[in-house]
Amino acid sequence: MTPHRFDSALGLEARRGPVATVLKLLLYLGMILVFAGPLWGLLVSAFGQTLDPTSFALWPDGFTLENFAQAADKNVYGYLFNSFVVVGFGLLLQMLVSVFAAYALARKKFRGMTVVMLIMLATMMLPEEIIAIPLSLVLADMPLLDVRLIDTYAGMILPVGAWGFSILVMTEFMKEVPVELEEAARIDGAGELRTFFTIILPLCRPALGVIGVFGFTMIWDQYLLPLIVANDPGYYTLPIALRSLRSDEEVGIGVLLAATLLALLPSIIAFLAFQRQFMRGLTSGAVKG
């Protein structure tokens, strides 16, 4: 049986010989420079004694941690802590809402289900700028509850607790889980919650990896929501703090680059942590099809 071969978009895998090998090496080197070059430049500049922000060096000129020490004086690590609080609780809430909402949409039949799906799609189509003013009014005075969420962590966590993209991804994935598995579990005496947590949810790990990575990135990169909620600088997240640091004339370029590196690393670490589930989740639809 002939083994399967996956050709690249440029058809380089089908070509052999020294010329094709050189072309592959040049292509891969170009991709590395384009995608990894800016990250490496940021890394080098953050640990170096940066004088000219437009210069590029392959190695730090005078390795130093002074930029990160000065970042502590500007409360960058406090802003980083705020970001971790928001993304930690926000992502947990978002994933809980996504899995339970997806289970209802994938397994339950109820009147108005199409309308619910259309509403979720509509929320994905609306830019954040359109809902900024209504959202600020709601957070300033929660209807019926008379609660003010401005200058609170809850004001930055609750609005990201439900995301249409995560719910739709989980819904489509749960639809692919065979109903026969649930029926067999019920015959064995398992209740609905036990079936959900022991049968369905473990099979949805690839989808959990996808919504985990995308959800982490979405919440971590939030700028408009913290800008609306955080009037007190003590509640600033790192993206908001970067704007303040950039406008501060006393902050050097090295401190700004160190803060930028701290803002970038968590997203990279999150992707590497969920990489296997993330890739399985992206390719599972093609494999099933």
Side-chain angles (χ1 to χ4, degrees):
M1 183 176 180
T2 304
H4 293 285
R5 185 182 65 198
F6 297 93
D7 295 338
S8 65
L10 299 178
L12 295 179
E13 293 295 332
R15 300 179 181 276
R16 298 291 185 269
V19 176
T21 302
V22 172
L23 289 177
K24 292 178 186 178
L25 291 176
L26 291 176
L27 177 62
Y28 298 151
L29 180 61
M31 293 174 61
I32 292 174
L33 290 176
V34 170
F35 292 103
L39 177 60
W40 180 253
L42 175 62
L43 188 66
V44 169
S45 300
F47 287 99
Q49 298 177 354
T50 306
L51 298 177
D52 184 7
T54 62
S55 63
F56 180 81
L58 295 177
W59 194 254
D61 183 15
F63 184 86
T64 180
L65 296 176
E66 182 64 23
N67 295 329
F68 294 92
Q70 294 181 14
D73 297 335
K74 295 297 181 179
N75 197 30
V76 169
Y77 298 105
Y79 304 139
L80 182 64
F81 173 77
N82 291 340
S83 292
F84 277 123
V85 170
V86 173
V87 77
F89 288 98
L91 183 60
L92 178 61
L93 178 62
Q94 186 179 108
M95 295 185 74
L96 286 174
V97 171
S98 298
V99 295
F100 284 113
Y103 180 72
L105 293 171
R107 286 293 190 260
K108 306 298 180 181
K109 302 297 182 182
F110 56 90
R111 183 176 298 177
M113 184 171 63
T114 303
V115 177
V116 173
M117 296 291 290
L118 289 176
I119 292 175
M120 286 192 300
L121 287 173
T123 61
M124 296 172 60
M125 303 301 174
L126 291 175
E128 292 182 345
E129 293 78 7
I130 293 180
I131 63 174
I133 295 178
L135 181 61
S136 63
L137 295 176
V138 170
L139 294 176
D141 186 9
M142 292 287 290
L144 303 179
L145 300 177
D146 194 24
V147 175
R148 178 180 173 86
L149 296 181
I150 299 297
D151 285 333
T152 63
Y153 288 123
M156 291 181 280
I157 293 172
L158 293 179
V160 299
W163 190 25
F165 173 81
S166 297
I167 296 175
L168 290 176
V169 170
M170 288 301 305
T171 300
E172 294 303 317
F173 201 91
M174 284 188 183
K175 287 180 180 179
E176 299 296 332
V177 177
V179 181
E180 291 77 11
L181 297 177
E182 296 180 62
E183 296 174 348
R186 291 193 178 94
I187 291 176
D188 291 338
E192 188 166 7
L193 283 178
R194 184 179 177 184
T195 302
F196 174 75
F197 284 108
T198 61
I199 302 297
I200 297 179
L201 205 55
L203 293 176
C204 295
R205 286 181 181 176
L208 290 174
V210 172
I211 68 172
V213 171
F214 279 107
F216 184 97
T217 305
M218 186 273 285
I219 300 173
W220 185 264
D221 293 339
Q222 278 288 325
Y223 180 82
L224 187 59
L225 178 60
L227 187 63
I228 295 173
V229 175
N231 293 328
D232 183 357
Y235 287 97
Y236 281 1
T237 57
L238 202 50
I240 302 298
L242 288 175
R243 182 204 61 175
S244 300
L245 292 174
R246 186 174 182 180
S247 60
D248 190 347
E249 296 180 355
E250 297 180 359
V251 176
I253 185 64
V255 178
L256 183 60
L257 291 174
T260 303
L261 180 62
L262 292 174
L264 179 63
L265 284 179
S267 296
I268 298 176
I269 295 173
F271 172 76
L272 295 177
F274 293 99
Q275 181 182 11
R276 179 175 299 179
Q277 290 82 3
F278 180 78
M279 298 307 297
R280 286 177 57 193
L282 291 181
T283 58
S284 60
V287 173
K288 291 177 183 177

